[in-house]
Amino acid sequence: MNFEPTYESVARHRVPDWFHDAKFGIFIHWGLYSVPGWAPHGADIDKQVADKGWEAMFANNPYAEWYLNTLRVGDTATRRHHIATYGPNFSYDDFAPMFNQAVEKWNPDDWAALFQKVGARYVVLTSKHHEGFLLWPSKRTSPHKAGSYATRRDLVGELTDAVRRRNMRMGLYYSGGLDWSFNDTPVRTQKDVHGTIVQSPDFVEYANAHWRELIDCYAPSVLWNDIGYPAAANVPELFAYYYNAVPDGVINDRWRQQPQEREMNFAEMADAPTIEHCDFTTPEYATHDRITEKKWEACRGIGHSFGYNQNEGPDDYLSVEELVRTLVDIVSKNGNLLLDVGPMADGTIPELQRERLLGLGAWLAVNGEAIFGTRPWVTAQGQASGGIPVRFTQNDESLYAILLGTPEAGLIAIEQLQIREGTTVSVLGRSEPLACTQESSRLVLSLPSLAAAPAHTLKITPKPQQAF
Ligand code: GLC
């Protein structure tokens, strides 16, 4: 199929099966901000915005990758930390040689091996975040910086190779709206986010050239643009160029060229209509409460930040239990989870993040059959006796009822489930089938004693005809 540079044409692109099947990807935020690795200690961003509004959040931004902006917006904790640690004359750009030096130590296969081990099916790396520093040695680096504002090593290319060698897909993030090397106006309000998108003709050309270079050199399986795109750019032309080069690639929804009509919080943004064409939407620190027709991908850090933040401790990170339940909930509603890792400048993945990833991976090693390659069922949520929430997924043969808790041994009833004759029910990870009976609209099962786990999967074959 050849795509033409119009929305009408690119809208014919269908979300490929691999992206529906993948469910779990790793996002990586790595850049100059990884050198200080610092943001004020606080709560999740959606909560900060809901509780205190956007301006207070920007002065206390929990996202460590926003370090440069938080430095600029006023007498912030970040500015005080910066001066105390590096002195008053140390500029943000002085982190560039430090980053370049630190990444010499990095071994891309260590990352790829870890991501493969924990069950991730794809990886998305920040090729350029809002700061403007490039993670690949581009032909074009920022004209507003002396020298090359890019890594010496080709971090994008090396990680792409390592990830593909381990049979995962590789995607690229690019900040196509904000580039603080072109526009250093601080972002203080939500309006400023779109309002400071660089609109100059030279930036339109620069961002387009970068996306094309990334497509030509690395053929990413995901184009993950952030914030928006300059109004004068021809977005469908870029989309057609991409689909013609990578027909089974996917494009996210953050290409908005016009400002939002009104201020919104994170939950509202998740439900707001997106641009004319995208393969999937990208709720951030937000989720959906039901199955949506449109494919979506939730993204968040394991803690409150995407970039590494040295101030975060165990209580700031999702526990393994929360992570597992978050993933299961998202998958039951037609989403993927793009879970972010914030490495240190030298590529070290902080121990707490590694531990959470491995915990999720251990659960997936037993229960992955109920996640990967599945589709939502007719309903996402159900209820088991004892107040245990249930999430459903299905594949061609079976229905999976995932219990978000560990029930006691003995009888358990799942509401509104009508099995067919000859049905087998088993718990993933155990071989013996369970005794089950249908009691009007409830399915009653006899459970063995189960070791505590974040969730347990009941595999029901064949699938019940429908939920009541
Ligand atoms: C954002 C942020 C950011 C992060 C991201 C990931 O809107 O500005 O720092 O990269 O989206 O979803």
Side-chain angles (χ1 to χ4, degrees):
M1 185 161 179
N2 200 44
F3 290 92
E4 304 292 325
T6 62
Y7 273 120
E8 204 194 350
S9 177
V10 295
R12 294 202 188 100
H13 187 261
R14 289 287 154 262
V15 179
D17 281 344
W18 79 262
F19 192 68
H20 280 294
D21 292 345
K23 310 302 185 196
F24 172 35
I26 299 283
F27 213 177
I28 300 163
H29 278 60
W30 202 25
L32 301 187
Y33 45 82
S34 314
V35 176
W38 203 95
H41 186 252
D44 275 354
I45 196 164
D46 57 317
K47 187 168 171 6
Q48 293 203 30
V49 167
D51 291 352
K52 297 200 179 120
W54 284 89
E55 265 192 81
M57 185 282 285
F58 278 123
N60 272 290
N61 198 331
Y63 287 177
E65 69 278 12
W66 277 67
Y67 186 94
L68 175 57
N69 190 70
T70 318
L71 203 57
R72 284 173 172 161
V73 290
D75 179 24
T76 58
T78 297
R79 186 184 289 180
R80 291 192 292 274
H81 166 79
H82 186 80
I83 293 170
T85 313
Y86 304 102
N89 300 320
F90 190 97
S91 82
Y92 188 78
D93 293 348
D94 293 332
F95 289 131
M98 294 165 82
F99 186 67
N100 256 318
Q101 173 76 42
V103 302
E104 291 294 334
K105 263 183 66 184
W106 171 66
N107 177 356
D109 190 57
D110 289 349
W111 285 12
L114 175 67
F115 303 153
Q116 182 186 41
K117 181 169 181 194
V118 302
R121 297 294 198 258
Y122 63 110
V123 175
V124 178
L125 172 69
T126 50
S127 64
K128 180 196 83 171
H129 204 265
H130 310 334
E131 61 185 5
F133 186 80
L134 310 181
L135 265 52
W136 83 102
S138 173
K139 290 191 213 95
R140 306 184 52 160
T141 63
S142 180
H144 304 287
K145 298 290 180 185
S148 170
Y149 207 51
T151 44
R152 275 193 302 270
R153 262 183 96 169
D154 183 4
L155 307 184
V156 170
E158 290 187 44
L159 186 61
T160 299
D161 290 347
V163 161
R164 287 186 175 145
R165 271 199 300 271
R166 290 182 178 271
N167 298 319
M168 293 172 285
R169 297 262 178 169
M170 183 69 195
L172 294 175
Y173 165 110
Y174 181 86
S175 178
L178 300 183
D179 188 315
W180 297 329
S181 76
F182 278 75
N183 183 356
D184 61 6
T185 313
V187 177
R188 294 196 164 86
T189 64
Q190 192 189 33
K191 227 175 154 191
D192 292 343
V193 177
H194 195 94
T196 57
I197 288 184
V198 193
Q199 301 292 356
S200 58
D202 65 331
F203 182 74
V204 174
E205 221 239 301
Y206 181 78
N208 281 336
H210 274 165
W211 265 131
R212 283 177 181 243
E213 188 181 339
L214 291 169
I215 294 165
D216 294 346
C217 295
Y218 310 111
S221 291
V222 185
L223 288 200
W224 217 104
N225 191 69
D226 200 9
I227 303 293
Y229 216 59
N234 188 336
V235 170
E237 182 174 76
L238 181 60
F239 285 8
Y241 184 81
Y242 174 59
Y243 287 147
N244 288 331
V246 186
D248 68 348
V250 288
I251 300 178
N252 80 343
D253 62 341
R254 299 192 183 180
W255 300 81
R256 188 187 268 281
Q257 294 179 282
Q258 302 305 325
Q260 283 173 186
E261 280 118 51
R262 60 182 180 87
E263 191 175 290
M264 289 184 221
N265 62 34
F266 277 71
E268 288 171 314
M269 287 192 293
D271 282 323
T274 59
I275 48 153
E276 276 174 76
H277 170 72
C278 66
D279 291 298
F280 63 99
T281 64
T282 55
E284 176 173 328
Y285 282 86
T287 179
H288 289 298
D289 59 4
R290 74 200 85 88
I291 299 171
T292 64
E293 176 89 38
K294 182 80 190 167
K295 182 67 189 168
W296 55 288
E297 179 200 64
C299 61
R300 58 160 301 146
I302 303 176
H304 313 298
S305 176
F306 287 94
Y308 169 57
N309 179 7
Q310 58 173 286
N311 289 324
E312 290 192 323
D315 294 344
D316 298 300
Y317 287 100
L318 292 180
S319 64
V320 170
E321 180 173 288
E322 288 167 319
L323 258 183
V324 166
R325 292 178 186 173
T326 300
L327 174 66
V328 170
D329 179 66
I330 289 169
V331 169
S332 73
K333 294 167 181 168
N334 201 25
N336 287 0
L337 171 63
L338 185 63
L339 183 66
D340 183 81
V341 164
M344 296 176 187
D346 67 0
T348 304
I349 295 177
E351 198 42 47
L352 283 171
Q353 296 182 26
R354 177 184 297 272
E355 183 192 299
R356 301 309 201 258
L357 290 175
L358 289 169
L360 176 58
W363 185 84
L364 283 169
V366 176
N367 296 275
E369 176 186 332
I371 300 293
F372 302 116
T374 64
R375 296 293 180 273
W377 193 43
V378 294
T379 183
Q381 313 195 160
Q383 189 70 38
S385 49
I388 297 179
V390 180
R391 296 291 181 274
F392 297 106
T393 62
Q394 64 169 329
N395 57 23
D396 286 346
E397 293 79 41
S398 306
L399 174 71
Y400 298 94
I402 307 169
L403 307 173
L404 305 184
T406 303
E408 307 211 331
L411 294 184
I412 185 171
I414 302 180
E415 301 299 330
Q416 313 233 298
L417 209 59
Q418 178 88 54
I419 54 167
R420 305 190 208 211
E421 220 155 287
T423 292
T424 320
V425 183
S426 59
V427 180
L428 288 188
R430 304 179 69 111
S431 47
E432 72 278 18
L434 309 180
C436 53
T437 47
Q438 187 73 44
E439 286 181 7
S440 69
S441 67
R442 347 159 61 201
L443 172 64
V444 180
L445 303 157
S446 172
L447 283 181
S449 140
L450 298 169
H456 298 272
T457 306
L458 300 171
K459 177 179 183 178
I460 304 171
T461 317
K463 292 185 275 186
Q465 246 152 348
Q466 58 172 71
F468 285 75

